[in-house]
């Protein structure tokens, strides 16, 4: 079975972070979902504009390679620390620009909605998300936390958008 | 005199905002600075990812047209409103990605440093900045506030970097 069969689409999930951004790709085929790829984009210790460029180019590359038809991103949790929210916002902006430039329509979900969709419980912890992602996508091992979160966002979108191909 | 004379460089200043981003270009020739262009990028009422794309593409276009050798951006004022800081951060991220992708080295200045460099007084108000920009760059009229701020950032960089061409 070709992974690019015409009755299937790829969904990209992005979990933005100012240090590490998780990405996850799933394939939706009818009612079924399959794991395609996932990973973490680490933006290192370069000057800040360089880090944003690195993140933008990495998301660009992922989109060029897998050609997702849909994308979803986690809504940033607005914490009390304004300085770190500002950094996170810039990283999110860089990822969103890459997705919008590829003409992807980007859905947004709160962390709570993502956990509810995947674990069935909005206050689930990260380890529970990892375990459920491993089970739902038939993975051999636990994916890294950021990658698991990104896959969970993609799965949440696959469920929520109610895609029936 | 050609505006692209080999002994001159263009400096781009960006004043990022979640609604309107100001840009300003000046030419630095020896000790002198000249006005080149300025304006406001309004990102309208599209869905948020589209707005960031519009801002990114607009900054891209400005860089492609004027080919600045240097760029400077205003440090975002970290206010108490975390939600608006998050939006501002994303807009700033989109502008920074455009500058970094053009391999521009981007300097950052606080609003206070910019006002001090241009007006001589760190707590100057926006109207004073407009007036000084009009005087320093021999403009016929007052530039819009966002454009004046962006020109002020470019002038601040021209002074601070102590460029002697």
């Amino acid at each position: 079975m070709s992974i690019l069969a015409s009755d299937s689409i790829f969904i990209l999930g992005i979990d933005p972070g100012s240090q590490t951004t998780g990405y996850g790709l799933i394939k939706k085929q009818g009612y079924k979902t399959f794991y395609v790829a996932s990973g973490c984009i680490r933006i290192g210790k370069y000057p800040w504009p360089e880090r944003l460029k690195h993140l933008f180019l990495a998301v660009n590359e992922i989109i060029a390679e897998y050609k997702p038809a849909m994308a979803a991103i986690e809504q940033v949790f607005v914490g009390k620390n304004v300085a770190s929210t500002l950094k996170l916002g810039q990283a999110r902006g860089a990822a969103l620009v890459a997705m919008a430039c590829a003409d992807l329509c980007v859905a947004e979900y709160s962390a709570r909605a993502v956990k509810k969709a995947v674990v069935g419980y909005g206050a689930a912890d990260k380890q529970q998300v990892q375990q459920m992602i491993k089970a739902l996508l038939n993975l051999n091992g636990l994916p890294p936390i950021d990658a698991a979160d990104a896959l969970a966002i993609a799965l949440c979108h696959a469920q929520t958008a109610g895609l029936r191909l």
Side-chain angles (χ1 to χ4, degrees), chain A:
Chain A
M1 181 184 69
S2 163
I3 209 158
L4 286 168
S6 60
D7 59 346
S8 69
I9 61 160
F10 282 13
I11 301 174
L12 171 64
I14 292 278
D15 179 34
S18 60
Q19 291 292 325
T20 305
T21 290
Y23 70 91
L25 279 136
I26 59 170
K27 184 174 67 155
K28 172 94 178 162
Q29 198 162 28
Y31 293 104
K32 292 184 181 168
T33 45
F34 303 90
Y35 174 85
V36 177
S38 66
C40 300
I41 304 162
R42 291 180 214 286
I43 52 178
K45 293 188 174 175
Y46 299 99
W48 187 245
E50 285 298 307
R51 295 193 208 182
L52 296 178
K53 174 185 170 183
H54 179 72
L55 174 53
F56 168 79
L57 292 177
V59 176
N60 255 355
E61 211 169 285
I62 291 161
I63 293 171
E65 185 170 352
Y66 297 102
K67 299 178 181 55
M70 293 183 158
I73 194 165
E74 189 163 297
Q75 273 171 6
V76 168
F77 172 72
V78 175
K80 284 185 181 163
N81 187 330
V82 191
S84 64
T85 302
L86 178 62
K87 276 202 161 182
L88 185 52
Q90 292 179 78
R92 192 174 197 267
L96 276 176
V97 163
M99 291 190 274
C101 283
D103 290 328
L104 278 170
C105 179
V106 186
E108 299 187 63
Y109 298 97
S110 68
R112 197 170 177 84
V114 171
K115 287 171 183 173
K116 191 139 197 230
V118 174
V119 186
Y121 172 54
D125 63 27
K126 289 192 173 288
Q127 285 70 33
Q128 287 174 298
V129 173
Q130 278 180 300
Q131 290 289 354
M132 281 303 286
I133 287 298
K134 178 174 178 283
L136 290 169
L137 295 173
N138 295 313
L139 305 179
N140 291 327
L142 287 178
I145 282 179
D146 294 301
D149 281 348
L151 287 165
I153 294 160
L155 274 175
C156 172
H157 188 53
Q159 284 180 26
T160 311
L163 309 168
R164 293 184 187 184
L165 301 172

